[in-house]
Amino acid sequence: MTHPVYPNLFSPLDLGFTQLKNRVLMGSMHTGLEEAEHGFERMVAYFCERARGGVGMIITGGIAPNLESSTSGAQLVNPDQARQHKEITDAVHGIDPEIKICMQILHQGALSKNEGLVAPSAVKSRISRITPNALDDAGIEKQLNDFVNCAQMAKLAGYDGVEVIGSAGYLLSTFLVKKTNLREDRWGGSYRNRMRFPLEVIKRIRAAVGNEFILIFRIPAMDMLEDGMSWDEIVTLAKEMEKVGITIISTHFCWHEAKIPTIATMVPRAAFTGVTGRLRKELSVPVITSNRINTPEVAEQVLLDGEADLISMARPMLADPDFVVKAYEGREGEINTCIACNQACLDHTFGRKEGVSCLVNPRACHETLLNYTPTQQPKRIAVIGAGPAGLAYCTVASQRGHQVTLYDGADRIGGQFNLAKRIPGKEEFYETLRYYQTMLKIGNVDVHLNTWVDKTLLEAQRFDEIIIATGITPRVPAIAGIDHPKVVNYIDVIEGRVEVGKRVAIIGAGGIGFDVAELISHKGVSPSMDKDVFAREWGIDFINHPRGGVTGVEPIIEKADRKIYLLQRKDSPVGRGLGLTTGWAHRISLNKRDVKMLNAVTYQQIDDLGLHILVNNQAQLLEVDTIIICAGQESNRSLFDRLEKEGYNVKIAGGAFKATELDAKAAINQASYLAAAV
Ligand code: FAD
Ligand code: NAP
Ligand code: SF4
C-alpha cells in the first residue's frame, strides 16, 4: 500500500534478485565497537536497534581486507572472524528477514596508520604523517586477492552484500587521480589505466561471490580537490562499474583532506543531492545519495525530485534508531534529529579517545550499557532548569514512568540552545528543542515556565527528588574598565538587545567567541540555509562541475561591514580547542571574513579609546567601539548548595554541576545517566 505522506520513501526497490523494503539505508560509520571490549555483543545490540527501527538496509562500519589497510585493526580475513560477524547478520535478519545488511570493505590506503600502508605511489596525504609504500605488481595482485577474500568472508558471514569504498582519499580513489597516482604502468597514466584497479576489484569480487549478492561502489562524485576528478571521468567510471556488475552506485562527496565542509551543521540540508541526480540520469543501476539529509521530509523530496533511488542516512540513525518507524507512523515530531555537530560521533572517531556516541542520544553505541527501563517505584521529581540537561533528564525520567515537574525562569524551554540556534550555521539546534518539546508532552511532564525557583517553592511541593539543572552564568573577567558602556555580554548580542558597532573586540575565543564572531561577521542569508550561498562562499560550482567541483572557482563572501578582533590569552593557535572535525571549517570561515585572531593577549584596560592589550608583551590599542565578553562561564549552583546543606534529596546536572569543559554533549550525557538511575 502506498504511504500517504512519504510514498517514495516507503516504496520497495527491486534489485532483480532481491528487494529492499524501503528507500532508507543506514550509511556506514566507524563506531570503534569492532575493537571495543564485548564489541560484537555491543554491535549486535546497536544494529538490532536500528533494524527494529525500520531501516531498509544497513551498511556496517568499514572493515579492512588486510592489516596494512587498517588503522584500527578491524579486518575480516578468515572464517573465524566471519563466525563473529555472523552473530550480527543472524540477529538483524532474525528481526526482519527483509532487512539487508551489507558490510563495507574499507581499504584506507594512504590514510591507514599502519606501518605497512600501501598506495599506488609513495605520495603522502596532506592529513597523514606517514608516506605509503608504492605497490609493485605483486603487491597489487595481493591487494586484489585480499579484497576478494574479504568479500567472500562477508558472504560466509551472512551479509547480503558488500560496499566497497572508492572515495575519500582511501586506496581506490588514490588510483583515480593524478596527484596520488604517479605510475606509468598499466595501473597509472591514462584515465583508463587509473580506473583499472577499482574496476578490477569489483570485477573480481563479482566473479567470486556470484550474481545474487549486493555489490555497492562508493564513487567520488565530487571529490572537492583542486585538479580532482572531472565530471566525464566520474560518469565514465560509473558506467564501467555497471559493466563489471555493480548492483548500486553510492555517491560520496569530498576527500577527507579537502578543505570544504560537506557534513557539518553549516552545510545546507541535501546540499549535494543535485550531483547524484545528474549521475543517476546517466546510469541504469540504482543510485544512493547522502550528506545532510536528516528529516523524512527532505528525504522524500530528494526522491520525488528524481535525484536518487535510495537515501543514505548515517548520523541520523545514531541520533534516533527509530527514525524510519516514527516517520512511517506519522510521529515525525518525536524524531531526535541529528544536528550535524559531529561532537560525539566523528570527533570521537578521529580523536580516538572516547567511544563513538551521539550528542543528542547518549545511548548510541552504548545500547548494552545505558538503558531506560521502566521504574518499579515512580517518584515525584522536580527538575529546575529547562536547558539541555534538564530536558534530557525530564525525557528519560518521564519515559521510565516517573512523575516529573519542570521549572524554568525563562518564557521558553531550551536554555542556551535558544542562543545557539540563532548562530548562522547552527539553525539545526532548533530541532533538538522541537524534539524535547514533543517528549515533554508525551511524558506528561508538568511544565512551569516564567518561574524562577527558590527554596520556598520547593518546600511547598515536597518532591521525592530535586534535580538542579540551572546552567551557568557568563564569566565577567577582572579587567580595568570592564564596566565601560562599550562592554557587552554575548547573551545580549545574540538576542539582539544591544547595538554592535563597526569595530569590535571579542574577549575569549572558545566555542561561544567563535559563534559570536560568526554571527556579527555575516550579512544576508545564512549559507547553511541556502545551497547557492553555501556554494559561492566555499567556491563550489555545482552547475559546471569543474575538476573536483572546485578547480578555479573563487569563493565569494558577503561580509558584514565591520572590523572584528577575536582574542585569547593562551599562546596556542586560536580555535585549537574547537571540534576536531569542524574547528578547521570555523577557522576558515572567519578568516574568509577577515576576522583578525590574536593569541597570547594580555588585557590591560578598557576606556573611551578602546581596548588596551599586550601581545607578546608589545602594547597595542584596539580602537574598538564594542567589546563583547565571551570569557567562559561559571556554574550557577547556589540553589543546589543551599538545598544540599539543608538535607534535601537533591542532585545536580549539566552546567550547574561543572562549567569548565561543559558542552551540550556533557550536559545531556550526564543528565541521561542520572535519570536512568533514579
Ligand atoms: P543551560 O542551557 O544554561 O540551561 C539552564 C536553564 O536553567 C536556563 O533555561 C535557565 O533559565 C534556567 N534556570 C537557571 N536558574 C533557574 C532558577 N533558579 N529557576 C528556574 N530556572 C532557572 N554546546 C555544544 O555542545 N555544542 C555547540 O555547538 C554549542 N553551541 C553553543 C552556542 C552558543 C551561542 C551558546 C551560548 C552555547 C552553546 N553550547 C554548545 C553550549 C550549550 O548550549 C550548553 O553547554 C548547554 O546549554 C548547557 O546545558 P544546561 O542545561 O546545563 O544549562
Ligand atoms: P570556552 O570554550 O571555555 O572558552 C572561553 C574563552 O574565554 C577562552 O578563549 C578562554 O581563553 C577565555 N577566558 C577564560 N577565562 C577568561 C578570563 N578570566 N578573562 C579573559 N578570557 C578568559 O567557553 P565558551 O566559549 O563560553 O563556551 C562554553 C561551552 O560551550 C564550551 O564548553 C564550548 O565547548 C561549548 N560550545 C561549543 C561549541 C561548538 O561548536 N562545539 C560552540 C559554542 C559553545 P583564554 O583563557 O586563553 O583567554
Ligand atoms: Fe548527529 Fe551530532 Fe549526534 Fe553526531 S553527535 S550523530 S552529528 S547529533
Side-chain angles (χ1 to χ4, degrees), residues 301-322:
Q301 191 62 47
V302 170
L303 295 171
L304 189 66
D305 293 344
E307 291 184 326
D309 301 280
L310 288 157
I311 305 291
S312 169
M313 288 185 258
R315 297 171 301 166
M317 296 292 160
L318 286 184
D320 196 333
D322 292 327

Side-chain angles (χ1 to χ4, degrees), residues 26 29 31 42-50 318 367:
M26 172 172 158
M29 284 174 285
T31 59
R42 290 176 63 182
M43 270 193 287
V44 167
Y46 161 73
F47 285 121
C48 282
E49 210 153 289
R50 273 82 200 161
L318 286 184
E367 289 76 8

Side-chain angles (χ1 to χ4, degrees), residues 460-473:
Q461 297 289 332
R462 298 191 173 278
F463 290 102
D464 299 322
E465 295 241 2
I466 300 168
I467 308 303
I468 301 296
T470 46
I472 50 83
T473 31

